[in-house]
Amino acid sequence: MIQRTNAYPELERDLRFYPLGVDNPRHLSPEQIQQYNDKGYVVPIDIFSQSEIEQIRSYFDELLPKAMEAGWNNYEVTNWHKHCQGVWDIVTDSRVIDVMEDMLGDTVILRHSHLFAKLPGDGKRVSWHQDASYWPLTPSKVVSAWLAIDDVDLSNGAMQVIPGSHHNAQVAFRDSTADEQNVLNQTVENPEDYGDPPVALELKAGQISLHSDWVLHGSEPNVSNRRRCGLAMRYLSKDVRAYNGWNDNSIVCRGSEPTGHWANHPRPDGELIPIKDDRDDVTAVSMSLRDNDEG
């Protein structure tokens, strides 16, 4: 297999890990920020109460079947904060943004949201990879918050990370093979060569984990009889710039971005699902998720 060390060799990108965190955090502890910088992740962080996450789970229990009816699979609900009030409200929740402000400073921008609904027995894994390898952004100052919608443990395919691997910045990867059943398309071989032994990010529903865009991570198939559903939310600082239109789906969640480089999508009017046409392209047509417009 051909190994590569740059997914975008034609672009001028700063492929380094940058330590993050403000001098006087208000919601994270200095120890949590230090762990992020030293190990590449923080877990767990309590965000939503039991009653709140039950409502969120019910919302996605309704959203996912509607998405699949419209032709999307359970890993293709990406950037639906542009269409669905319920998703927009989660990714802009002040408690999530408070945490991100402690990491990124007074301006917090959401670049991307992605629902990972790993169904029992679907056989899919997420092979070992680095997020920053996929993203044409520079510099690499991106923090992913992963919200557990269901309880997450190793049996239903919890994310695992290689602590300390983010200090290597870009490592070699190859294209994934069909037999891997990878949700994505890159694979890093021998991840244990790049840091400490893997750590599973086990979470209770309503908690989030944080991980660096450079830390090696992945997850095994769900071998339980329980779903593993989580919402990955990617936040970045205002000095990051995007190539190839990767600034089109963003929300300026806090602070200001006067250059206009980053889009700032307002709260959607209702609950709309993009429809795929026969070519798997997204059309401008949408369908209502609910009979009313409440998120």
Side-chain angles (χ1 to χ4, degrees):
M1 287 288 184
I2 297 174
Q3 299 280 317
R4 290 182 285 157
T5 56
N6 193 342
Y8 301 95
E10 73 282 6
L11 303 179
E12 293 186 9
R13 300 169 64 213
D14 185 347
L15 302 179
R16 291 179 290 173
F17 167 73
Y18 283 87
L20 299 178
V22 300
D23 291 336
N24 297 297
R26 295 187 299 160
H27 302 279
L28 294 174
S29 69
E31 292 76 18
Q32 286 174 309
I33 292 175
Q34 189 64 48
Q35 172 165 325
Y36 177 90
N37 288 323
D38 289 347
K39 300 294 186 181
Y41 71 96
V42 179
V43 66
I45 299 169
D46 295 328
I47 298 292
F48 295 106
S49 69
Q50 181 175 346
S51 61
E52 288 173 321
I53 199 61
E54 287 174 355
Q55 292 178 348
I56 289 170
R57 187 182 305 114
S58 295
Y59 170 78
F60 282 107
D61 286 347
E62 183 177 0
L63 176 66
L64 188 56
K66 293 289 185 181
M68 296 176 80
E69 288 173 12
W72 306 95
N73 71 38
N74 47 303
Y75 297 104
E76 291 182 325
V77 179
T78 59
N79 293 322
W80 284 23
H81 55 266
K82 298 189 302 181
H83 311 291
C84 299
Q85 283 183 357
V87 181
W88 195 96
D89 289 346
I90 293 168
V91 302
T92 62
D93 188 279
S94 62
R95 291 162 292 184
V96 177
I97 306 307
D98 286 343
V99 170
M100 288 301 155
E101 185 174 359
D102 282 351
M103 296 298 301
L104 298 168
D106 58 4
T107 296
V108 177
I109 298 168
L110 174 90
R111 188 199 65 78
H112 179 76
S113 66
H114 189 172
L115 186 71
F116 286 87
K118 193 180 287 186
L119 304 179
D122 76 357
K124 294 289 187 179
R125 63 167 40 84
V126 177
S127 297
W128 290 103
H129 69 284
Q130 298 171 294
D131 289 337
S133 185
Y134 284 95
W135 300 341
L137 309 174
T138 189
S140 290
K141 297 182 180 179
V142 186
V143 181
S144 289
W146 202 96
L147 170 65
I149 297 166
D150 304 320
D151 289 346
V152 176
D153 54 39
L154 275 175
S155 69
N156 67 348
M159 184 195 309
Q160 300 181 63
V161 301
I162 302 294
S165 56
H166 59 305
H167 295 299
N168 298 288
Q170 182 73 72
V171 302
F173 64 91
R174 60 167 173 79
D175 293 338
S176 303
T177 58
D179 62 345
E180 289 180 57
Q181 290 289 294
N182 186 11
V183 174
L184 307 177
N185 58 30
Q186 293 180 12
T187 301
V188 172
E189 295 181 330
N190 304 315
E192 63 278 0
D193 292 347
Y194 299 101
D196 296 333
V199 172
L201 304 188
E202 297 188 323
L203 296 165
K204 294 295 186 184
Q207 295 178 326
I208 64 171
S209 62
L210 306 181
H211 67 269
S212 164
D213 53 350
W214 279 123
V215 75
L216 277 167
H217 60 289
S219 63
E220 290 300 305
N222 181 356
V223 297
S224 75
N225 60 3
R226 299 175 293 119
R227 185 184 68 181
R228 191 220 69 169
C229 187
L231 182 66
M233 304 171 284
R234 325 296 193 171
Y235 298 92
L236 49 80
S237 60
K238 63 184 178 182
D239 58 326
V240 178
R241 289 296 176 263
Y243 296 97
N244 302 346
W246 282 53
N247 52 346
D248 291 344
N249 300 312
S250 47
I251 302 172
V252 181
C253 299
R254 184 168 294 172
S256 63
E257 204 289 289
T259 72
H261 178 76
W262 293 98
N264 188 16
H265 288 275
R267 188 173 189 255
D269 291 335
E271 296 290 336
L272 302 174
I273 296 180
I275 302 300
K276 274 187 167 183
D277 67 14
D278 291 339
R279 298 164 300 167
D280 287 338
D281 296 326
V282 181
T283 71
V285 181
S286 296
M287 62 183 283
S288 176
L289 168 61
R290 301 184 178 196
D291 292 334
N292 56 57
D293 289 335
E294 294 179 1

